[in-house]
Amino acid sequence: MVSRLPGRRVAAARLALSFLALSCRVGMASAATLGIPLGDAPVLERIFAYPNKPDPSLDLAGTIEHYLRQSLARDGFAGASVRVVQDGNGHRAELTADSPDLARYGERLPGFLRNGRMADEAFAGIQDAGQWNPQWRVYLPLGLPLARARSVQLLHFPPDYSLSCQDYLGSRTSRRWEALLLANGAPQDSLARHEAIVDIVPIAAPADSGNRLPVVPFRGYAKAQLQLLTAAADPGGDAHTLPVLAYGQPVRQWVNDMLGQDLQRVLDTRYVELQSGRKTPLLVANHPSYFWRAWEESPDKGRKVMQEDLVAACWQKALGDDPGADIRATLSLCQARWQARPEEVCVLTRVQACGDPWPQAESQCRQSPQSPPACAAKAPVDASPAGSQAAEAASAPQQVEACVPTQMQQCGYVRQQAEALCRQYRQPPACPKACPL
């Protein structure tokens, strides 16, 4: 098969250069401003789920600016700025950054908006058929990396609280998976580059809504979005795209139906074709939240799922670093890595399931790394004045050590985030119900 990719690259480059030629301004060093037409307000309101919450503090332009700033920051554009202005009957984004990679937004952002209009058309069809639930909101993967992603996460649907939080990664499941990437050597400051997300159903809904959400109307949107986000700028040369992790049974079924596969189980891996003439590495993983359900069934099952998840995150990180690496050899290396670390698997299991402080989890796991004990019952909190005075009299290290596991278990923070918060506040900070960040 003759690849058409070079022609596409030339067209994309011309498009990006035309944007720059129209709107490049002389500034400090090589900073340039990229101007991108966004479209009319009524469509943008639906694509950006405006307003994201009751009594919004941001207008439509401010909401779009918020998500574009998140995307630029998660792509690693330090010091980038965003301005959204009215342009005739529509809106226009002006992005400024000191990097030639900014030109990629000239192709990616219009593609993202084009796919968003596909999702909007699917929503209109569901609504016309009288099948729309007023509790649902169309919610595209806003604020995620568009130019420098390292891997793509294919998920079922976003939790509803992430929308009011205005952070697509503002979920307990995202925080849990980030901790697994950290355990596999991913740098803290670039974790989000592994979190370019496509939901097969872009509807923000309560966590128990999965079986009721319409998948078929959004098939065209989801495939187009997956094609857009995996086609990074030469991540694996002409031969490979960015890798994809497919989380959970509904997503595995979607891949089988849409991409002609026969994936049967967690850690199955295949090459699929999303771009003409290029291979997309794909791995099946548990849904990140399945770990907690497995732990409730039994600690041994929770540990087994944790090990599978660590292997999947290892594969994701390795293929993100080198999309041309052999998918099965990489999987074998990742399985061997975590098979040889039973105590670390046990510790991570206890930390994420029970909120144990790391030293306490290590102590528990030295005794039986292959079979972690159930979580200990939490001691009741003394809310009396005497109890409050005693807590305030505790030393700062003791306060932090008591605070960290609570924040990790209740809010889904990784340990570094919990420690930072607990050092900052005298009392353990509350975890807002609507936004666990």
Side-chain angles (χ1 to χ4, degrees):
M1 181 182 295
V2 177
S3 172
R4 299 178 183 175
L5 194 59
R8 291 178 181 174
R9 287 187 184 139
V10 169
R14 286 175 179 166
L15 175 63
L17 288 171
S18 69
F19 278 123
L20 285 171
L22 286 170
S23 57
C24 185
R25 300 173 182 172
V26 177
M28 296 180 62
S30 58
T33 295
L34 182 65
I36 303 175
L38 300 177
D40 296 337
V43 177
L44 290 175
E45 287 178 357
R46 295 192 294 274
I47 289 177
F48 286 88
Y50 179 80
N52 295 164
K53 52 189 175 181
D55 303 319
S57 57
L58 299 174
D59 60 10
L60 175 60
T63 299
I64 298 171
E65 287 176 353
H66 166 79
Y67 286 117
L68 291 179
R69 285 193 195 97
Q70 282 186 337
S71 288
L72 288 164
R74 286 166 171 162
D75 267 323
F77 289 101
S81 64
V82 179
R83 193 165 73 105
V84 173
V85 297
Q86 284 196 305
D87 184 12
N89 294 326
H91 286 72
R92 172 186 179 87
E94 296 181 351
L95 316 179
T96 303
D98 186 8
S99 171
D101 288 350
L102 183 66
R104 298 177 190 172
Y105 272 73
E107 175 190 1
R108 292 303 182 79
L109 185 54
F112 183 95
L113 296 171
R114 188 165 54 249
N115 294 340
R117 288 190 286 274
M118 291 177 64
D120 185 49
E121 291 170 4
F123 154 71
I126 298 167
Q127 198 171 44
D128 289 345
Q131 298 173 349
W132 188 259
N133 186 325
Q135 288 187 305
W136 300 343
R137 296 285 303 279
V138 172
Y139 187 29
L140 303 182
L142 306 171
L144 303 184
L146 287 173
R148 295 172 172 171
R150 307 297 292 274
S151 61
V152 178
Q153 298 178 324
L154 189 61
L155 289 154
H156 190 184
F157 67 98
D160 52 359
Y161 58 77
S162 295
L163 178 56
S164 59
C165 170
Q166 294 187 300
D167 187 348
Y168 213 84
L169 300 182
S171 69
R172 193 181 183 205
T173 52
S174 290
R175 292 295 165 255
R176 175 176 180 262
W177 202 264
E178 287 173 355
L180 305 188
L181 287 167
L182 285 169
N184 279 288
Q188 172 80 51
D189 61 0
S190 60
L191 285 176
R193 295 191 198 180
H194 291 282
E195 297 178 280
I197 291 174
V198 176
D199 289 298
I200 62 172
V201 182
I203 294 175
D208 61 354
S209 302
N211 292 335
R212 299 187 294 276
L213 295 175
V215 176
V216 173
F218 292 104
R219 279 180 169 179
Y221 154 79
K223 186 172 182 180
Q225 194 78 313
L226 195 58
Q227 290 170 325
L228 175 75
L229 295 181
T230 53
D234 298 328
D238 288 338
H240 299 89
T241 75
L242 292 184
V244 175
L245 250 66
Y247 295 93
Q249 191 279 330
V251 172
R252 184 173 75 235
Q253 188 61 52
W254 185 94
V255 171
N256 288 342
D257 293 344
M258 293 296 293
L259 303 179
Q261 299 300 311
D262 185 27
L263 298 163
Q264 298 293 327
R265 61 187 64 84
V266 171
L267 301 184
D268 275 358
T269 185
R270 300 281 193 281
Y271 288 110
V272 299
E273 186 174 285
L274 292 167
Q275 316 291 333
S276 179
R278 300 177 79 188
K279 295 179 179 178
T280 296
L282 182 142
L283 181 81
V284 175
N286 295 302
H287 190 279
S289 67
Y290 178 61
F291 164 74
W292 288 298
R293 296 199 300 274
W295 176 267
E296 289 175 0
E297 290 182 31
S298 78
D300 286 347
K301 186 170 182 179
R303 186 198 180 284
K304 175 180 179 292
V305 170
M306 172 61 79
Q307 182 155 328
E308 291 173 344
D309 291 353
L310 285 164
V311 169
C314 171
W315 185 96
Q316 179 186 10
K317 196 266 181 186
L319 268 294
D321 290 344
D322 180 11
D326 184 271
I327 55 174
R328 291 176 181 83
T330 300
L331 178 61
S332 295
L333 288 172
C334 289
Q335 288 172 320
R337 169 190 172 98
W338 288 106
Q339 188 68 34
R341 301 183 178 195
E343 189 169 319
E344 190 173 350
V345 174
C346 177
V347 169
L348 285 163
T349 301
R350 292 281 309 182
V351 167
Q352 290 198 343
C354 306
D356 284 350
W358 196 272
Q360 180 180 326
E362 285 181 321
S363 176
Q364 292 274 5
C365 290
R366 275 194 294 269
Q367 301 171 25
S368 55
Q370 297 289 355
S371 185
C375 302
K378 300 294 181 183
V381 176
D382 184 353
S384 67
S388 299
Q389 292 169 5
E392 291 182 4
S395 65
Q398 288 173 324
Q399 284 183 332
V400 170
E401 197 60 32
C403 166
V404 167
T406 301
Q407 294 298 298
M408 293 176 70
Q409 185 175 29
Q410 294 182 359
C411 304
Y413 296 125
V414 296
R415 186 172 182 82
Q416 294 96 320
Q417 295 168 315
E419 285 179 342
L421 276 174
C422 292
R423 282 194 298 268
Q424 181 179 356
Y425 295 98
R426 189 174 185 84
Q427 297 293 332
C431 180
K433 184 176 181 181
C435 177
L437 282 180

